[in-house]
Amino acid sequence: MPGARAEIVIDYYNRRIKVMDFTGRFEEISGTLEALAEAEEMEKIIVYTPPERGHEPKTCGYVEEGTIRGYCAGKNCHIFSSYSKNSRGISFHKEKEDQVIKNCLKKGRGTEKISQKSGDSRRNGSWKKQKEKISLPEEYTLRPAVQADASTMAALYSQGFQFYPTPLHMESYLLKTMDSHVLYFLVEKQGEIVSLASAEMDSENGSAEITDCLTILSERGKGLIKELIIALEKELSDRGFRSTYTLCRALSSGINIAFASLGYAYTGRLVNNCRIGEGFEDMNIWCKMLK
Ligand SMILES: CC(C)(COP(=O)(O)OP(=O)(O)OC[C@H]1O[C@@H](n2cnc3c(N)ncnc32)[C@H](O)[C@@H]1OP(=O)(O)O)[C@@H](O)C(=O)NCCC(=O)NCCS
């Protein structure tokens, strides 16, 4: 590839190649990516593209599936995909997933209207001061996870997800990521962990992905995940992050409604993007600018 370079991740679990960055002409990289996909039996190639270069993957037959606002140091990132295996590009539950989005939007959600509130939180100071603002019933406590929680968290994630794109069921993985670039927050009810969420931080670009959301079955629908998302946003805001986004399961009403009602904007859907639940699932993109 003379003059052209790409930073790629070969994701065997999700059977896809992710191009995180490229320099030089995309046309020169495209053939190599296709050959690599064939050799490694990867079914999807996904390219994270800055706005000024979007035409390049498009010319090579890639389709734009969505945008992550503010992902590239404040600039939007356009996500282009190509499917080496045709069936991987077919969304099997499109109508139901469209209905989930319609329900989110018709209630006036998904318009980023609440992002002002999140801006206010920056003036609240540290996590300790923000704690007072959390509106959970008395027997619930929301706090950042610590290393001693990792074993219980791994067990809960393992019960909550049959498959998951990252090894959340492994205590060692949780400890390692907790120690580096992932913030885990949790809700306890009388000392038992009942709800979890995390933020994967890209400090260089000031952008974070809110992910790994789980509430145990008996505690669902009580607003716990929303409180966790709000708390993570506040913490990120205090740390100087400019934007957050999530890639969430397109068929799950609860998680889409949670992000929509917190002022996130719906910006696309990644078809059969990762293995979660019982197989490959479509993931919706929701974004919010914190400042
Ligand atoms: C998705 C999940 C995390 C939501 O957690 P939760 O604590 O029950 O969420 P909340 O109570 O904060 O609810 C958020 C919103 O969704 C609504 N909601 C929750 N579950 C819902 C459901 N099954 N159907 C429709 N709406 C639902 C709530 O009423 C609330 O709406 P509001 O903003 O109008 O108040 C939980 O259902 C879960 O753990 N699911 C399995 C794991 C999973 O799929 N995680 C998502 C990975 S992307």
Side-chain angles (χ1 to χ4, degrees):
M1 276 192 279
R5 278 177 172 277
E7 185 191 320
I8 66 166
V9 176
I10 305 178
D11 182 347
Y12 290 96
Y13 178 84
N14 294 304
R15 280 188 238 138
R16 60 176 186 194
I17 296 175
K18 226 166 147 181
V19 179
M20 304 307 294
D21 195 12
F22 62 91
T23 52
R25 288 174 56 231
F26 186 78
E27 259 178 34
E28 289 178 36
I29 303 163
S30 172
T32 309
L33 287 171
E34 272 172 41
L36 187 62
E38 200 183 329
E40 298 292 335
E41 297 182 12
M42 296 291 121
E43 300 167 353
K44 178 172 183 175
I45 305 171
I46 180 165
V47 187
Y48 282 49
T49 317
E52 67 277 10
R53 307 208 52 186
H55 59 284
E56 296 187 45
K58 208 167 172 182
T59 310
C60 295
Y62 284 67
V63 173
E64 184 170 0
E65 292 197 305
T67 306
I68 304 179
R69 294 185 185 166
Y71 181 85
C72 315
K75 284 195 298 184
N76 293 349
C77 169
H78 297 259
I79 301 180
F80 285 86
S81 298
S82 160
Y83 294 88
S84 329
K85 185 177 171 189
N86 287 343
S87 61
R88 178 80 183 251
I90 299 166
S91 181
F92 291 102
H93 305 285
K94 188 178 178 315
E95 277 174 29
K96 275 190 196 164
E97 292 168 355
D98 288 346
Q99 193 55 49
V100 168
I101 294 297
K102 264 189 205 151
N103 291 343
C104 288
L105 300 179
K106 85 176 168 210
K107 291 180 185 165
R109 296 156 164 155
T111 55
E112 281 190 294
K113 64 180 171 5
I114 306 175
S115 55
Q116 312 288 300
K117 261 194 189 167
S118 163
D120 292 344
S121 70
R122 287 193 304 278
R123 295 189 285 273
N124 292 344
S126 68
W127 158 249
K128 282 190 185 110
K129 284 183 201 156
Q130 290 158 11
K131 222 159 66 164
E132 291 141 32
K133 291 225 146 199
I134 292 161
S135 54
L136 284 170
E138 209 171 296
E139 69 268 37
Y140 296 86
T141 316
L142 190 156
R143 63 171 174 84
V146 293
Q147 300 220 326
D149 298 312
S151 153
T152 312
M153 289 165 65
L156 287 172
Y157 277 131
S158 163
Q159 286 158 24
F161 296 106
Q162 191 183 349
F163 294 111
Y164 202 73
T166 51
L168 289 177
H169 60 284
M170 288 170 66
E171 184 183 352
S172 57
Y173 173 82
L174 294 172
L175 288 171
K176 190 172 143 206
T177 50
M178 208 180 270
D179 231 17
S180 56
H181 63 295
V182 183
L183 282 174
Y184 292 92
F185 274 31
L186 55 84
V187 174
E188 281 174 316
K189 185 183 185 184
Q190 293 157 347
E192 299 287 328
I193 300 174
V194 292
S195 189
L196 293 156
S198 79
E200 194 174 329
M201 298 176 286
D202 176 354
S203 304
E204 216 174 289
N205 287 298
S207 166
E209 177 183 359
I210 297 191
T211 182
D212 307 335
C213 296
L214 177 73
T215 299
I216 65 163
L217 206 52
S218 57
E219 294 294 328
R220 288 185 190 166
K222 297 182 179 176
L224 303 184
I225 217 67
K226 282 176 66 174
E227 290 298 333
L228 281 170
I229 296 167
I230 292 168
L232 283 166
E233 284 175 2
K234 285 176 178 169
E235 181 65 25
L236 290 166
S237 204
D238 281 348
R239 292 178 183 222
F241 281 78
R242 287 183 292 241
S243 60
T244 56
Y245 69 96
T246 191
L247 306 181
C248 72
R249 303 170 83 178
L251 271 176
S252 161
S253 290
I255 199 70
N256 283 278
I257 289 176
F259 282 100
S261 68
L262 291 173
Y264 282 70
Y266 171 65
T267 56
R269 183 176 302 149
L270 307 175
V271 173
N272 291 316
N273 203 55
C274 48
R275 259 174 83 200
I276 183 169
E278 286 170 8
F280 286 108
E281 289 190 23
D282 295 353
M283 304 299 278
N284 285 336
I285 313 173
W286 292 91
C287 303
K288 182 165 169 178
M289 301 308 289
L290 295 176
K291 289 181 187 173

